[in-house]
Amino acid sequence: MTTTVPKVALTHKDKIVFPKSGITKQQIYRYYENMASVMLPYLNNRPLTMQRFPKGIGEAGFFQKHVPNYFPDWIPTVKIKKEDGWVNHIICNSKEALLYLVNQYVLTFHVTLSKVEKMDYPDKLVFDLDPPKGNFQLAVKAAKALRYLLEEKLLLKAYVMTSGSEGLHIAVPLKGDRHFDDVHDFTKNVATYICSANPKAFTTAIRKDKRQGRLYMDCLRNSYAQTSVSPFSVRALESAPVAMPLHWDELNNTTLNAQSFTIDNIFKRLETDGNPWESFEQNTHDIGNAIKTMETLIG
């Protein structure tokens, strides 16, 4: 039996979601409506964690993994094992599902690093470069150091994007044939190596009071059921900044910051320079040799 997918209607279109910027629910809806074809490949078949703001970003929103009972049955879901049971996640594979979620005040989309068919085997790895507030250039420095190690020493293809919040994300597409344990250990070794070479600038310290003005190189999301913000997601900050894939040479622009791209300017940027992550899934790697190289470098 085929489930009929209805046209998604926008409700409360004039509701202000971003109080200082005056950005309405309709503007966010239109952004995702126009961005759907570009964004959906990064959501496809990945369990979704929804970040919802029913009262706008002026009040605390919430993260939601489990599908509410009132969500329609035409939106696909999948039960994912967790430590003490199961979580029934949304799978956002269609424009209609995307817009339904936006109408439910899902502002930001966070997805797993693996797909439903191979949950224990990530098909990408991610480094989250979180600089001390106001020091985006430190994130740029870390990104360039990571790129050199990943591409020149480890022979992997690295991609960069603004987080839309404070820093940068570096991602590497994988073949999905290595268990999360292997990928986590590898990324931990990479982060430790980079931070050890630059101890005054970078750290792997989780606690903020241990960072002492250094950039935090976060590799912890490379674990089962952990998530990373999807490219082109809107962040819950005034002016509606977007997590934006970049060309590497854009890091040389001294005016760039984590919130440079917003729902207002991103389409012009895509028209002129395209989507730098368009080839992401065509550049997958097995990291076996890179793991051995890292063990040699650290050893």
Side-chain angles (χ1 to χ4, degrees):
M1 181 177 176
T2 302
T3 303
T4 302
V5 178
K7 180 176 174 60
V8 177
L10 171 64
T11 59
H12 305 101
K13 65 179 183 179
D14 295 325
K15 183 178 177 64
I16 302 294
V17 180
F18 293 74
K20 293 180 181 177
S21 309
I23 296 171
T24 65
K25 185 181 180 183
Q26 183 176 42
Q27 288 172 279
I28 298 300
Y29 185 94
R30 295 299 177 221
Y31 166 77
Y32 278 115
E33 184 177 43
N34 293 327
M35 186 56 72
S37 62
V38 179
M39 185 174 178
L40 282 170
Y42 307 102
L43 302 177
N44 188 54
N45 284 352
R46 298 184 189 276
L48 175 68
T49 296
M50 303 171 282
Q51 191 175 5
R52 301 175 67 183
F53 292 85
K55 297 182 179 180
I57 70 165
E59 298 191 27
F62 59 94
F63 289 88
Q64 187 169 24
K65 293 185 176 184
H66 196 77
V67 181
N69 291 332
Y70 60 85
F71 274 28
D73 58 10
W74 57 263
I75 295 181
T77 62
V78 63
K79 288 186 176 180
I80 301 299
K81 189 169 182 56
K82 64 173 185 174
E83 196 169 313
D84 56 351
W86 299 83
V87 178
N88 195 27
H89 284 265
I90 288 283
I91 300 296
C92 186
N93 285 356
S94 69
K95 182 176 183 178
E96 291 78 14
L98 179 70
L99 295 180
Y100 177 86
L101 297 176
V102 174
N103 195 50
Q104 295 297 320
Y105 297 97
V106 178
L107 188 63
T108 310
F109 294 77
H110 303 264
V111 289
T112 57
L113 276 61
S114 57
K115 293 185 177 181
V116 292
E117 57 266 29
K118 293 180 73 175
M119 282 302 299
D120 289 307
Y121 297 84
D123 63 357
K124 62 180 175 180
L125 61 82
V126 174
F127 296 92
D128 182 357
L129 308 181
D130 184 14
K133 196 170 183 66
N135 194 351
F136 182 74
Q137 285 305 309
L138 196 56
V140 171
K141 180 179 179 180
K144 290 180 176 180
L146 259 176
R147 184 194 188 190
Y148 178 78
L149 176 60
L150 292 169
E151 294 196 342
E152 300 300 324
K153 298 293 186 181
L154 303 178
L155 306 180
L156 303 173
K157 177 72 172 175
Y159 291 79
V160 60
M161 79 171 184
T162 61
S163 68
S165 180
E166 297 290 340
L168 292 165
H169 286 189
I170 309 298
V172 174
L174 305 177
K175 288 190 179 298
D177 54 2
R178 296 276 172 175
H179 193 275
F180 260 116
D181 291 345
D182 296 332
V183 176
H184 179 270
D185 289 346
F186 171 70
T187 56
K188 182 179 179 181
N189 284 342
V190 169
T192 300
Y193 182 80
I194 292 283
C195 293
S196 296
N198 301 272
K200 293 183 179 180
F202 314 140
T203 181
T204 56
I206 298 172
R207 287 177 50 179
K208 288 188 177 182
D209 61 351
K210 299 290 187 182
R211 297 179 194 172
Q212 300 174 325
R214 294 172 292 176
L215 173 139
Y216 173 44
M217 191 169 291
D218 180 6
C219 60
L220 296 179
R221 61 192 67 243
N222 297 288
S223 302
Y224 176 82
Q226 295 297 309
T227 63
S228 180
V229 67
S230 170
F232 305 106
S233 275
V234 178
R235 306 310 298 266
L237 297 164
E238 290 295 344
S239 300
V242 174
M244 179 65 191
L246 301 174
H247 296 285
W248 276 103
D249 60 7
E250 291 182 272
L251 295 186
N252 298 324
N253 181 350
T254 57
T255 66
L256 180 75
N257 63 64
Q259 299 175 31
S260 287
F261 297 98
T262 70
I263 63 170
D264 288 331
N265 63 21
I266 189 172
F267 292 102
K268 183 177 180 181
R269 159 64 172 70
L270 286 171
E271 285 177 11
T272 57
D273 293 315
N275 174 14
W277 283 35
E278 193 169 10
S279 64
F280 192 88
E281 292 194 347
Q282 284 74 55
N283 283 299
T284 58
H285 300 275
D286 171 71
I287 58 171
N289 289 334
I291 289 173
K292 294 176 182 177
T293 302
M294 278 311 306
E295 289 172 349
T296 301
L297 289 173
I298 287 179

